Amino acid sequence: MSGVASYQRASALLDVGRDAQAVETLRAALAETPDDAALLTLLCFALRRRRDLPGALAAAEAALAAEPGRPEAHVERAETLLALLRDGDARAAAEQAVRLAPNRPSGHLVLARALAAGRNFAEARAAAARGLALAPRSVEALLTVADVARDAGRRDEAEEAARTALRIDPDSEYGRWLLAMLDAERLRVRRSLRTLRDVARDNPGRPNVLSMTWPIRRLLSGLRRWLTVAVVLTCAAALIAVRFPPMLPPSRVMAAVFVLLAAGFSVRLLLPAGALPWRSLRLTPPLLRRSLYARMVTAAVQTGLLIGYAVSSTPLLTVIAVVLVPVQLLLGLTAAIGAHLDDPGHLHALRDIARQLREWRAELRRWWADTRRDLRDAWRDEP
């Protein structure tokens, strides 16, 4: 099969979601023509879809070695670097794609995402707008505009772009997910969960269980902030009341008010969500699931301690609640790590950090050995 025929066959397989067969087709063609930049670029795309990010990056770099001026290869390399959380390198690759093909929207769109990842929101929005101007009916361009606007905190703009994209392609999985997340950020709980459930039903092979647990995670994040402030303020007021008794009634009222606010927020999130987040929680990575359960228990204990102080006026209860604040923070960090343990980009970034630490330790050991030897030699030298 010729290179062109292989490329067309692999593209057709990717269009129907048969990514593994597309990769096999491309590898078989590349065995005969290993320097075909078009095949290597498409292989990068296919491997990135399969979340084989190191393999995708190697394919993109091989394509650029074969044809350095190929804009599509720079775009694919930028997309892969973004997935690997190498935002600076992704930006450089995207800028090169834009320089080589300024009239192609793909370079501007990946540049916008790279700029947004680096928190350069004004430049990111400008790049996304340029990409959209070059392809006004492109769903990818509209969703990039929505993504960048959402990252910049411009939710109205993001929602408008996402809805426009869905009017063009009502079945867009990412567009529907993005709209559900925008609803989540505005606490439109029932509508958000309904959309996420429909997306999961239409894509049973790729259910986004992490997204469907957002009411639980949002509740725990809110409670962490609420309870941290609540227990610290209540503890301070309780300790002041030990020396200044008139402060006792206000401190007990303060504890009760904080508990009522936390209960109201919990009801506001969990009742409209129904059972879906709890069913989805059972399918999340083990470390995330255990951390979330531990955070729930810790938050319940802190709330119980505040109730106990409001009823009994025992200051020690508020001190115990304060002691649990670092535990809650540590569990939150553990949950964040657990949420990304199955993400190749985060795993690759963690491996890079570990490798850099090992290299730094080896350099430090070499420096210390050299310094010790020099000091020993200097001590032995006779004047």
Side-chain angles (χ1 to χ4, degrees), residues 3 7 26 29-30 33-45 56 58-74 76:
Y7 186 96
L26 290 167
L30 284 165
T33 55
D35 294 331
D36 190 317
L39 291 175
L40 286 165
T41 302
L42 189 60
L43 177 62
C44 173
F45 173 76
E61 290 176 345
L64 289 171
E67 188 179 336
R70 189 174 188 84
E72 299 91 339
H74 286 284
E76 282 301 324

Side-chain angles (χ1 to χ4, degrees), residues 369-382:
D370 293 342
T371 302
R372 192 170 51 183
R373 185 179 61 252
D374 292 343
L375 289 172
R376 187 169 54 245
D377 293 343
W379 180 260
R380 289 175 179 173
D381 284 345
E382 296 182 2

Side-chain angles (χ1 to χ4, degrees), residues 55-123:
L57 183 59
E61 290 176 345
L64 289 171
E67 188 179 336
R70 189 174 188 84
E72 299 91 339
H74 286 284
V75 168
E76 282 301 324
R77 183 169 182 269
E79 294 281 13
T80 306
L81 288 168
L82 263 181
L84 289 168
L85 306 183
R86 292 168 56 182
D87 306 337
D89 294 336
R91 176 177 178 174
E95 287 172 343
Q96 181 64 13
V98 170
R99 279 193 292 270
L100 290 168
N103 294 323
R104 293 187 184 179
S106 56
H108 295 282
L109 298 178
V110 70
L111 176 59
R113 290 192 288 274
L115 289 166
R119 315 298 291 175
N120 300 306
F121 294 127
E123 296 176 63

Side-chain angles (χ1 to χ4, degrees), residues 252 255 305-314 317:
R252 296 172 65 186
L305 290 168
L306 288 179
I307 294 172
Y309 175 72
V311 172
S312 68
S313 307
T314 306
L317 297 177

Side-chain angles (χ1 to χ4, degrees), residues 1-13 21-34 36 39 42:
M1 188 182 296
S2 69
V4 174
S6 298
Y7 186 96
Q8 292 173 341
R9 173 170 168 73
S11 296
L13 289 168
Q21 288 178 265
V23 170
E24 291 175 7
T25 300
L26 290 167
R27 291 198 187 283
L30 284 165
E32 300 177 7
T33 55
D36 190 317
L39 291 175
L42 189 60

Side-chain angles (χ1 to χ4, degrees), residues 312-332:
S312 68
S313 307
T314 306
L316 180 60
L317 297 177
T318 64
V319 174
I320 298 172
V322 170
V323 170
L324 290 175
V325 167
V327 176
Q328 188 70 270
L329 295 175
L330 181 61
L331 289 171

